Amino acid sequence: KMGYRIMRELKCLRAPLAPIPLPEGIEIRQTPSPNWQAYTTWWTFQPSWEHLPSAVEALGELAQTWEMWDHDTRVGSACLKPDTGHLLQLVIEPNHRRKGYGKLLAHFCGGMVESLRVNNLDWEDKGTLAFWDKMGMVHTVDQYEMEVG
């Protein structure tokens, strides 16, 4: 024992996701100025440290942020590291969930990389894990957030 305590159990997933056509009125636009204030209010669980806005911002141009719009309403966003295929965040505004927006946004991001990687999902976030399972993502490894104690 090294004196560490497990704070959260995290799951890592991976799968190729091909792009699918967007329905009429749906657009996905890259944004140079992510609206973290809005996105963070849409979270169901706090992401692990490397997916927090400060960590994503520190990546600079290595990370791309995309927003999904249904006509004039922003319904979701995704942050992707195209060089590695890591999806840093994918979030849908709560009033627009379970309408297919998450699937469209995930496939859009998957279309930019060979294999989409989603790292460090909280094991307690059952809804998000079920979403990715339905998308065909394969569990690759478990990780842990730990603290000295």
Side-chain angles (χ1 to χ4, degrees):
K1 295 226 174 202
M2 302 282 299
Y4 290 96
R5 184 173 67 235
I6 294 174
M7 300 306 295
R8 288 201 298 179
E9 295 183 42
L10 306 166
K11 224 177 199 187
C12 299
L13 311 171
R14 181 181 192 162
L17 293 181
I20 54 179
L22 297 176
E24 188 174 327
I26 304 293
E27 287 183 83
I28 300 175
R29 309 176 197 151
Q30 188 172 4
T31 179
S33 303
N35 187 338
W36 297 114
Q37 188 173 10
Y39 309 156
T40 58
T41 65
W42 301 347
W43 291 346
T44 53
F45 272 74
Q46 168 108 5
S48 59
W49 69 270
E50 77 276 24
H51 298 152
L52 292 172
S54 57
V56 175
E57 289 286 329
L59 293 170
E61 293 181 8
L62 294 175
Q64 297 176 355
T65 301
W66 299 85
E67 292 183 335
M68 175 176 272
W69 292 80
D70 188 340
H71 295 90
D72 61 351
T73 303
R74 183 180 52 218
V75 296
S77 74
C79 299
L80 177 70
K81 267 189 83 189
D83 64 325
T84 63
H86 285 96
L87 185 63
L88 304 171
Q89 287 194 24
L90 186 145
V91 63
I92 302 298
E93 196 276 332
N95 293 326
H96 293 93
R97 291 186 183 152
R98 301 193 184 280
K99 298 178 181 176
Y101 295 120
K103 178 180 178 179
L104 290 170
L105 198 49
H107 277 273
F108 173 83
C109 292
M112 291 189 276
V113 298
E114 184 177 320
S115 184
L116 194 64
R117 300 168 184 231
V118 181
N119 283 353
N120 299 335
L121 294 171
D122 194 312
W123 277 64
E124 298 295 320
D125 190 354
K126 303 299 184 199
T128 299
L129 291 172
F131 167 79
W132 288 115
D133 185 57
K134 188 175 178 181
M135 297 290 293
M137 299 294 276
V138 176
H139 177 231
T140 57
V141 70
D142 296 329
Q143 299 196 84
Y144 304 94
E145 260 183 9
M146 303 176 86
E147 72 177 27
V148 176

